[in-house]
Every structure is written in structure tokens, then in C-alpha cells.
């Protein structure tokens, strides 16, 4: 894998293009259109339970632009039947289209997305990741002044982030521990215990990422290398891991080519 995580890489681009070419045409075309792109993203967070899904569609009928609720409903099954590896390339296409929304449309879309996510009273990992990526693209990133030039004072934030990544990729505690240590070693931090799975909170991870965003740029690249080392410790990339590292890179203002599931590791 390229040592400079902030540079683009032909292999990633080719793989993403291949995935995109295999998408159902109606989803592909909708994702390129500012109107349809919203329906695609709404469909991605629709619940599998009939009752909750119906409530979500009602929310869209009430609050979204005319016709978007119906379009989302029609597209929902096709979007849900897409293999997980298609989600990141699909989100990427919609983000390009969302740039054409007016500030009012953009605000309305983001509020509706939030209502849909909250409909079942819990936010799962994918929903959390999607909101982070969308927020980064809808709002011009705030100028962040570097406050840290290393990770000595950010050990707890790094520990939480790498523990989260380790558990996203591993069920086996031993394997999770190995992945976690692989990440820590990249940051040259002393080895601390892996945070137990049940103690990881996405809200806290979000706050940790906001703090880590105040690190000077060259060191951010080092952090992304550490995240990648955690993910690839077992030589494979799951869709959850690929989506999570994407959210991290966006949050750090250092976009990277997607680590795609099934991709051969260089």
C-alpha cells in the first residue's frame, strides 16, 4: 500500500470504476443528479423493519422536497440489495451531485438525514460514518490551526480510535489486540491496553477525531498510516473498515483513496 496515504492511486481508481460500472443503471443515474442523490442517501439509511421504514418515508413526505419520499421508497430495495462494497463508490458519486444543492436544500437534506437515522432510536456504525462524510462535504471545512505537533499528549484519543478500528475488523480479542498494537507501533506510542469492545462509544470517537484534527498535517498522515496498519494487520479489508477509515480521513481533512474490500494489499 502506498506510503503516502494522501496521494491517489491508480489501482483504487480502477477498482472503484469497476464497482461503479456494475451498479444498477437506475441507482447510478439517480446518484449523479442533485435530486436523485438525496433519495439514494436516504435509501441507504432506511430501516429493514417495515414499520420503522414506513415512519421514515412519512418523515420524507412531510419534510423533504416534493416527490423525494416516493423516489426513496421505490429505490430502497435496489439500494439495500447492493453488495456492501458498492456503498463507498456510490456515496462518492452522490457527494459530487450534492455540491449543486442550494444552501437551503443542503440544510433541509442534512436535517432529514438526521431524522431518518434517529427513527429507530439508535445510530449504527454505517449511519455514523455516513453522517461524518456528508457533513465534511456539505460544509466548507473550518480552518483548523495546528495545536499539536505529535501524539504524546493525545494518547487517550489515539488509543480510542485504534481500539475502535481493531474491534471493527476483528471479533477475536487476540486478533484485535494484534491489530491495535500494529497501529500503535506506527505512532511510536508506548503499548497500552486495548479498550474493551463494550467500552467503545461512537460519540466519544467523534470527539476524539475532532481533537486529532488539530494535529499538524504531516503528523495526520502518520495517524492515517497507523489506522491503515490496524486495518490491514490481518491482510484483509472488510467494508466496515473501508468505510471507517474513509470517515477518519475526511474528518482529518486529508482525503485518501478508498481502501476497498477484497483489494490486494501492496
Amino acid at each position: 500500500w502506498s506510503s503516502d496515504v494522501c496521494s491517489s492511486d491508480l489501482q483504487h481508481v480502477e477498482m472503484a470504476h469497476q464497482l461503479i460500472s456494475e451498479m444498477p443503471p437506475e441507482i447510478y443515474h439517480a446518484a449523479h443528479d442533485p435530486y436523485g442523490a438525496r433519495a439514494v442517501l436516504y435509501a441507504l439509511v432506511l430501516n429493514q423493519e417495515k414499520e420503522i421504514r414506513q415512519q421514515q418515508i412519512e418523515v420524507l413526505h412531510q419534510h423533504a422536497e416534493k416527490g423525494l419520499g416516493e423516489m426513496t421508497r421505490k429505490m430502497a430495495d435496489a439500494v439495500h440489495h447492493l453488495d456492501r462494497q458498492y456503498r463507498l463508490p456510490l456515496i462518492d458519486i452522490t457527494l459530487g451531485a450534492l455540491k449543486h444543492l442550494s444552501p437551503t436544500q443542503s440544510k433541509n437534506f442534512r436535517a432529514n438525514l438526521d431524522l431518518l437515522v434517529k427513527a429507530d432510536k439508535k445510530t449504527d456504525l454505517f449511519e455514523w460514518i455516513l453522517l461524518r462524510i456528508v457533513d465534511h462535504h456539505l460544509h466548507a471545512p473550518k480552518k483548523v490551526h495546528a495545536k499539536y505537533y505529535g501524539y504524546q499528549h493525545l494518547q487517550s484519543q489515539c488509543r480510542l480510535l485504534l481500539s475502535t478500528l481493531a474491534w471493527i475488523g476483528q471479533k477475536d480479542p487476540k486478533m484485535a489486540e494484534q491489530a491495535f498494537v500494529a497501529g500503535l507501533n506506527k505512532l511510536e506510542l508506548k503499548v497500552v491496553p486495548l479498550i474493551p469492545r463494550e467500552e467503545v462509544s461512537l460519540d466519544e470517537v467523534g470527539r476524539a477525531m475532532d481533537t486529532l484534527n488539530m494535529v499538524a498535517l504531516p503528523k495526520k498522515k502518520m495517524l492515517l498510516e497507523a489506522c491503515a496498519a490496524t486495518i490491514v494487520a490481518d491482510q484483509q479489508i472488510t467494508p466496515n473498515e473501508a468505510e471507517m477509515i474513509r470517515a477518519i480521513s475526511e474528518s482529518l481533512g486529508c482525503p485518501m483513496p478508498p481502501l476497498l474490500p477484497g483489494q490486494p494489499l501492496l
Side-chain angles (χ1 to χ4, degrees), residues 9 39-40 79 101 110 130 132 134 180 187 221 236:
D9 180 356
V40 170
V79 168
L101 297 181
R110 179 59 182 83
L130 179 64
R132 295 263 341 169
V134 165
F180 173 66
L187 290 177
K221 295 180 182 185
Q236 56 188 4

Side-chain angles (χ1 to χ4, degrees), residues 20-211:
I20 288 163
S21 71
E22 292 165 3
M23 279 178 200
E26 72 274 19
I27 296 175
Y28 176 83
H29 292 303
H32 279 85
D33 169 68
Y35 186 84
R38 286 174 280 178
V40 170
L41 292 179
Y42 290 153
L44 275 172
V45 297
L46 284 188
N47 205 283
Q48 296 290 51
E49 282 181 43
K50 246 186 172 159
E51 236 172 84
I52 297 173
R53 182 179 286 203
Q54 196 44 50
Q55 286 170 18
Q56 290 172 310
I57 297 294
E58 281 306 313
V59 163
L60 293 176
H61 286 323
Q62 283 175 36
H63 300 287
E65 242 173 70
K66 193 171 166 49
L68 267 176
E70 190 50 29
M71 188 178 187
T72 303
R73 189 186 64 73
K74 282 183 178 155
M75 212 182 283
D77 287 335
V79 168
H80 273 273
H81 287 128
L82 276 179
D83 192 89
R84 277 288 303 278
Q85 64 180 345
Y86 292 94
R87 291 204 302 205
L88 267 183
L90 182 60
I91 290 166
D92 273 339
I93 299 171
T94 65
L95 293 172
L98 292 180
K99 286 195 168 81
H100 299 286
L101 297 181
S102 70
T104 308
Q105 288 173 321
S106 187
K107 198 174 170 188
N108 177 260
F109 160 70
R110 179 59 182 83
N112 291 336
L113 200 58
D114 212 37
L115 289 172
L116 297 187
V117 166
K118 286 178 174 160
D120 63 355
K121 312 275 193 291
K122 58 182 188 286
T123 306
D124 69 23
L125 179 68
F126 174 71
E127 291 168 339
W128 184 87
I129 287 169
L130 179 64
L131 291 176
R132 295 263 341 169
I133 293 174
V134 165
D135 280 345
H136 185 80
H137 279 265
L138 285 185
H139 312 296
K142 293 188 187 83
K143 266 268 183 267
V144 179
H145 295 289
K147 191 176 167 184
Y148 304 99
Y149 295 88
Y151 292 101
Q152 293 71 19
H153 302 295
L154 299 169
Q155 299 226 9
S156 64
Q157 287 87 350
C158 292
R159 180 186 177 210
L160 176 58
L161 187 57
L162 296 179
S163 293
T164 306
L165 276 173
W167 286 120
I168 285 172
Q170 306 298 337
K171 287 192 167 57
D172 179 276
K174 268 204 177 69
M175 296 284 285
E177 180 75 43
Q178 280 171 16
F180 173 66
V181 171
L184 276 185
N185 288 341
K186 284 277 182 191
L187 290 177
E188 296 160 11
L189 290 176
K190 67 172 190 286
V191 176
V192 287
L194 173 73
I195 295 173
R197 182 194 288 275
E198 60 279 3
E199 287 175 32
V200 169
S201 134
L202 288 175
D203 284 345
E204 282 178 28
V205 174
R207 284 192 287 275
M209 277 159 54
D210 292 340
T211 303

Side-chain angles (χ1 to χ4, degrees), residues 1-20 85 88-89 92 228 231-232 237 242 245-246 255-266:
W1 192 53
S2 149
S3 63
D4 181 4
V5 290
C6 289
S7 70
S8 211
D9 180 356
L10 200 60
Q11 191 184 3
H12 298 94
V13 175
E14 282 170 5
M15 191 154 176
H17 278 311
Q18 190 189 333
L19 288 173
I20 288 163
Q85 64 180 345
L88 267 183
D92 273 339
I231 282 175
V232 301
I237 301 163
I245 198 164
R246 177 62 188 278
M256 59 185 282
L259 282 180
L260 295 166
Q263 149 194 342
L265 299 174
L266 305 178

Side-chain angles (χ1 to χ4, degrees), residues 211-223:
T211 303
L212 291 166
N213 192 27
M214 292 188 263
V215 171
L217 185 63
K219 295 292 182 183
K220 283 183 181 177
K221 295 180 182 185
M222 192 176 165
L223 179 60

